[in-house]
Amino acid sequence: MASPQEIDNLQKSFQRAATLSGSPGAVSTSPTQSFMNTLPRRISVSKQTKALKPFSTGDIKILLLENVNQTAIEIFNEQGYQVEVLKGSLPEDELIEKIKDIHAIGIRSKTKLTEKVLRHAKNLVVIGCFCIGTNQVDLDYAAKIGTAVFNSPFSNSRSVAELIMAEIVSLARQLGDRSIELHTGTWNKVSAKCWEVRGKTLGIIGYGHIGSQLSVLAEAFGMHVLYYDIVTIMALGTAKQVSTLDELLNKSDFVTCHVPETAETKNLLSAPQFAAMKDGSYVLNASRGTVIDIPALIQAIKANKIAGAALDVYPNEPGKNGAGSFNDDLNSWTSELVSLPNIILTPHIGGSTEEAQSAIGIEVAAALSKYINEGNSVGSVNFPEVSLRSLDLDQENTVRVLYIHHNVPGVLKTVNNILSNHNIEKQFSDSNGDIAYLMADISSVNQSDIKEIYDQLNETEYKISIRLLY
Ligand SMILES: NC(=O)c1ccc[n+]([C@@H]2O[C@H](COP(=O)([O-])OP(=O)(O)OC[C@H]3O[C@@H](n4cnc5c(N)ncnc54)[C@H](O)[C@@H]3O)[C@@H](O)[C@H]2O)c1
Ligand SMILES: O=C(O)CC[C@@H](O)C(=O)O
């Protein structure tokens, strides 16, 4: 989002430009990164590539909330950005104040980037969700204002699957209760209603990254696996896809949810679904708090229909760590839930391992830096995915145009008319619903032309935002 003033300052910053080539992003093992590596850039792998900067790197302001991992902070520091790091999320009014001034924001699951908040973002180029879920961001509105959103699609999947596997065994053995009892001095050696998991049936709702990973772990424990998903997905091992949710509920001893938060998944498990489950079965949820109707779960447990539950996520969650915040003011049913037997409650830690957080930090920070520095939107969850190979070091007087616009006929003609006095070396455009994104490298551009190109593009009818990189 280079302003004319920034364009005038461009020359000064040019020499200070940093590349991503030395960043830890290069060691990410995610397919997103591998996919990026297969892009046309490979053709010029032996050449030195030119760093692009539209502005002094020091002008880029990034706000990182919710204890984003140190790996990300290091990548942003290497880029020379101004990085502000806060441990918790921010309440809406403080977020609105902060967002007015920043170019990028990194969040996890607690920070709500609603339309109301995003309306105040005047310079926001990019949002990084340092997690899998992106339901906390109004993705459509972000796209509408030209802000790309990136996440980490599966760096914490294994961590969640391992936690669920541990909880399945813990519920079957009433481990949580025995531990709480002994912590308070009570020796209670029982075997009644305690089971092995071998030979039992696990029903997985949502057979994506986490569900399918869990499927493999559960089979290694000797469990039978059924899964229900809205799309047909290849079974791993000897797992079987069932065609209705009811069939999964009728046949499973353990039911676990691994679906995204959508309108369709709200209260996916409620009173009728608990009624359809086997007597004495167990429920687990580490997806999103809205997926299970918790008051209905409480009733099903009180009626001895459900023998235990493990919950990692809740409709309302505290914004930061601390004693006393998980209470009835947050969710009206809290005290009733915590008084029930065989309930394992964890504070949304499914993806909270050193391995996952470090990998997520690298992956998302690299994607954000690449988008800020080069305009590469591959991997974005709300934007057309567009990429151009880097400029070579010897390419003088070449400008990269990043033009985000409404997806209506005739825009490219208008833009290419503006660029036509220069050689368009390469360009790539794609659309995603109402939003389209054009990247073009144009050569033979004098310093004096740059402001003129910017001003002309800025006056086009359907532009959403423009950045010019040099
Ligand atoms: N507790 C945690 O710390 C934690 C960590 C990571 C992810 N999550 C949550 O877990 C969710 C799942 O993660 P994932 O990586 O496996 O996602 P994914 O996108 O890989 O898989 C989700 C699966 O759910 C299916 N699905 C969607 N709607 C459905 C419906 N109505 N009924 C049945 N299936 C449906 C999809 O087709 C897909 O196969 C995420 O969206 C996130 O909210 C929580
Ligand atoms: O780390 C978090 O806050 C969120 C973890 C998880 O829910 C995710 O969506 O990846």
Side-chain angles (χ1 to χ4, degrees):
M1 226 174 273
S3 69
Q5 181 60 51
E6 285 168 331
I7 291 168
D8 292 339
N9 290 338
L10 166 74
Q11 202 66 43
K12 281 185 271 158
S13 61
F14 185 72
Q15 296 301 326
R16 292 198 285 132
T19 62
L20 276 175
S21 57
S23 82
V27 299
S28 168
T29 54
S30 80
T32 305
Q33 188 68 35
S34 329
F35 177 54
M36 285 173 174
N37 291 343
T38 65
L39 291 169
R41 152 192 321 272
R42 283 187 79 153
I43 298 165
S44 58
V45 79
S46 59
K47 292 188 186 173
Q48 275 196 292
T49 56
K50 175 172 160 176
L52 292 168
K53 281 284 181 270
F55 26 56
S56 162
T57 51
D59 288 344
I60 286 286
K61 291 185 190 158
I62 298 201
L63 175 64
L64 297 179
L65 301 174
E66 301 185 56
N67 213 9
V68 163
N69 195 263
Q70 187 61 26
T71 51
I73 299 169
E74 279 163 21
I75 290 175
F76 292 137
N77 282 337
E78 257 174 49
Q79 298 303 310
Y81 306 150
Q82 293 175 41
V83 187
E84 182 179 356
V85 183
L86 298 178
K87 277 221 170 293
S89 63
L90 287 175
E92 191 178 70
D93 53 337
E94 287 178 41
L95 194 56
I96 284 175
E97 272 317 299
K98 285 272 186 199
I99 212 156
K100 287 177 181 167
D101 195 33
I102 53 177
H103 301 94
I105 184 167
I107 60 168
R108 287 170 64 185
S109 53
K110 304 288 181 298
T111 305
K112 306 276 178 255
L113 293 178
T114 58
E115 176 175 343
K116 182 175 174 196
V117 171
L118 291 173
R119 257 203 233 118
H120 297 267
K122 296 293 170 246
N123 299 318
L124 194 65
V125 175
V126 65
I127 295 168
C129 297
F130 286 77
C131 55
I132 293 180
T134 53
N135 56 293
Q136 67 282 35
V137 180
D138 187 332
L139 297 176
D140 291 341
Y141 189 75
K144 224 182 242 177
I145 60 170
T147 303
V149 182
F150 293 84
N151 73 339
S152 170
F154 44 76
S155 290
N156 65 17
S157 311
R158 174 71 187 202
S159 303
V160 181
E162 287 187 10
L163 180 73
I164 292 291
M165 201 57 236
E167 289 178 338
I168 289 170
V169 176
S170 301
L171 287 174
R173 302 293 294 276
Q174 302 176 358
L175 218 56
D177 287 1
R178 292 302 86 77
S179 177
I180 291 169
E181 287 157 5
L182 213 49
H183 274 270
T184 51
T186 302
W187 185 269
N188 187 19
K189 185 175 162 86
V190 290
S191 55
K193 304 254 167 77
C194 292
W195 315 98
E196 291 185 354
V197 301
R198 177 174 51 166
K200 308 297 184 299
T201 299
L202 172 63
I204 301 175
I205 308 175
Y207 202 67
H209 291 113
I210 298 171
S212 56
Q213 183 77 211
L214 174 64
S215 172
V216 175
L217 297 180
E219 288 202 337
F221 268 72
M223 299 186 81
H224 306 297
V225 175
L226 300 176
Y227 61 94
Y228 169 73
D229 201 293
I230 46 169
V231 295
T232 304
I233 299 181
M234 187 189 77
L236 298 181
T238 58
K240 284 194 184 59
Q241 183 158 14
V242 293
S243 51
T244 65
L245 179 57
D246 261 3
E247 185 181 349
L248 178 133
L249 298 172
N250 297 161
K251 292 182 174 164
S252 301
D253 300 295
F254 297 83
V255 171
T256 184
C257 301
H258 300 289
V259 290
E261 179 181 85
T262 63
E264 292 71 37
T265 62
K266 189 173 166 54
N267 289 338
L268 191 66
L269 297 187
S270 188
Q273 289 71 38
F274 295 129
M277 287 176 64
K278 287 166 88 167
D279 289 347
S281 53
Y282 304 86
V283 174
L284 300 97
N285 184 23
S287 59
R288 283 293 179 263
T290 51
V291 172
I292 285 193
D293 177 351
I294 295 183
L297 173 67
I298 291 172
Q299 292 316 315
I301 293 167
K302 284 186 167 170
N304 292 325
K305 174 75 185 175
I306 302 298
L311 304 177
D312 187 44
V313 287
Y314 311 89
N316 300 304
E317 297 178 1
K320 38 182 90 134
N321 289 346
S325 55
F326 192 68
N327 57 30
D328 284 355
D329 292 337
L330 191 70
N331 295 294
S332 58
W333 36 255
T334 306
S335 45
E336 213 178 347
L337 182 71
V338 300
S339 68
L340 296 172
N342 210 16
I343 305 288
I344 298 172
L345 301 176
T346 45
H348 202 149
I349 51 161
S352 297
T353 61
E354 296 284 0
E355 292 91 339
Q357 293 308 312
S358 152
I360 289 173
I362 291 168
E363 183 178 7
V364 181
L368 262 53
S369 306
K370 238 175 160 36
Y371 183 69
I372 292 169
N373 293 358
E374 298 178 21
N376 184 337
S377 65
V378 173
S380 169
V381 293
N382 70 332
F383 239 53
E385 296 192 68
V386 175
S387 164
L388 285 185
R389 70 176 182 274
S390 303
L391 296 180
D392 297 333
L393 205 53
D394 54 5
Q395 282 181 286
E396 291 296 327
N397 299 326
T398 300
V399 169
R400 175 162 290 183
V401 176
L402 308 176
Y403 183 82
I404 299 161
H405 60 96
H406 296 285
N407 187 19
V408 292
V411 174
L412 291 185
K413 189 172 158 200
T414 309
V415 171
N416 280 329
N417 266 341
I418 295 171
L419 305 182
S420 62
N421 288 338
H422 307 277
N423 183 33
I424 302 178
E425 298 216 340
K426 52 189 181 295
Q427 70 177 189
F428 184 16
S429 163
D430 201 355
S431 62
N432 182 354
D434 295 337
I435 307 300
Y437 180 30
L438 167 79
M439 285 177 85
D441 285 348
I442 52 172
S443 58
S444 321
V445 183
N446 297 322
Q447 184 63 29
S448 56
D449 300 331
I450 295 173
K451 186 170 181 322
E452 196 185 320
I453 295 170
Y454 181 88
D455 287 343
Q456 285 181 353
L457 289 173
N458 202 28
E459 272 164 29
T460 52
E461 190 178 354
Y462 294 108
K463 106 169 177 204
I464 295 175
S465 75
I466 310 162
R467 293 196 293 140
L468 299 182
L469 308 179
Y470 310 77

